Amino acid sequence: SQKIEQNSEALNIQEGKTATLTCNYTNYSPAYLQWYRQDPGRGPVFLLLIRENEKEKRKERLKVTFDTTLKQSLFHITASQPADSATYLCALGTSYDKVIFGPGTSLSVIP
Amino acid sequence: GAVVSQHPSWVICKSGTSVKIECRSLDFQATTMFWYRQFPKQSLMLMATSNEGSKATYEQGVEKDKFLINHASLTLSTLTVTSAHPEDSSFYICSAQEGKGPWGQETQYFGPGTRLLVL
């Protein structure tokens, strides 16, 4: 069955460092992958989208890579700040009508 | 741009009553809207997909007679939890697709969520 895995444990990093979050998937051939941020008690906020034929995408301090051979995406936040603390969700889609979300990774940036 | 609102943000109701949750795209027309359910510390579970003017497509295991979805216009979708029971207590989130934009038609814009507590 299709499965999406993210960092199993919460990630704690020091302010200013680069946070790297992992999204792995099996039994799936996504056409694109998205990353969302979710704060407690709030809906997710879209961050980045990367398509299967793209290796890397950047947006300000964010960078995402997509390796369809390894079936993995890495999400990087450079120069992390306490305000980056949140849960980050990866989502995979094969068409424009729906996506499947991963379980999320909780990130805490320590001042 | 691409703002989605939900109302109410939280609701407490008695068992057996029905609850309606509204999802609106405020500054764009949504070709497709989605309804999700989320339990504490768990990920989003897609309940159904709806397109304006047509019947919603429900995910496996979701009772369509229990969770009524009406996508009345390109800016409004409603989810009605009928005869609610305590096990229906959850965080319900809607999202909408604009169908265009710099990040592609696949991007979903989420509402702030509605927390439902059934006593």
Side-chain angles (χ1 to χ4, degrees), chain A residues 40-110:
Chain A
R42 306 292 294 173
V45 174
F46 170 77
L47 297 174
L48 285 165
L49 179 150
I50 186 166
R51 301 188 187 281
E52 61 178 332
N53 60 347
E54 298 173 318
K55 296 294 184 186
E56 181 180 300
K57 273 281 183 68
R58 291 175 185 262
K59 179 184 173 184
E60 298 172 352
R61 294 185 295 113
L62 309 179
K63 184 179 84 170
V64 62
T65 62
F66 193 10
D67 189 327
T68 55
T69 301
L70 291 178
K71 296 187 181 296
Q72 180 183 77
S73 174
L74 298 178
F75 178 74
H76 306 274
I77 305 175
T78 58
S80 59
Q81 304 166 1
D84 295 327
S85 299
T87 295
Y88 291 85
L89 306 167
C90 71
L92 280 64
T94 55
S95 66
Y96 68 87
D97 60 349
K98 71 176 183 182
V99 297
I100 298 176
F101 282 84
T105 297
S106 175
L107 172 67
S108 293
V109 180
I110 304 164

Side-chain angles (χ1 to χ4, degrees), chain B residues 70-87:
Chain B
N70 183 16
H71 197 152
S73 74
L74 284 172
T75 59
L76 173 64
S77 177
T78 60
L79 168 68
T80 302
V81 183
T82 61
S83 187
H85 291 284
E87 57 266 29

Side-chain angles (χ1 to χ4, degrees), chain B:
Chain B
V3 178
V4 176
S5 69
Q6 270 184 252
H7 178 80
S9 55
W10 60 270
V11 57
I12 301 173
C13 68
K14 291 183 178 179
S15 186
T17 60
S18 293
V19 175
K20 180 186 280 190
I21 302 170
E22 288 188 351
C23 176
R24 293 181 184 273
S25 56
L26 298 185
D27 52 359
F28 66 99
Q29 292 187 327
T31 55
T32 305
M33 286 186 167
F34 304 86
W35 286 95
Y36 293 85
R37 184 173 180 176
Q38 187 175 35
F39 292 103
K41 298 193 183 299
Q42 294 188 27
S43 192
L44 298 158
M45 287 175 44
L46 179 65
M47 298 175 66
T49 302
S50 74
N51 294 289
E52 183 261 344
S54 59
K55 289 185 178 180
T57 301
Y58 289 82
E59 294 299 300
Q60 193 172 13
V62 178
E63 300 176 58
K64 57 183 179 183
D65 295 330
K66 172 79 171 172
F67 299 99
L68 300 178
I69 292 172
N70 183 16
H71 197 152
S73 74
L74 284 172
T75 59
L76 173 64
S77 177
T78 60
L79 168 68
T80 302
V81 183
T82 61
S83 187
H85 291 284
E87 57 266 29
D88 298 324
S89 299
S90 190
F91 189 51
Y92 292 88
I93 313 175
C94 73
S95 72
Q97 280 182 332
E98 187 177 11
K100 60 181 180 181
W103 290 99
Q105 61 183 357
E106 304 89 343
T107 301
Q108 295 184 34
Y109 298 97
F110 284 83
T114 297
R115 190 162 299 283
L116 170 64
L117 178 61
V118 184
L119 303 176

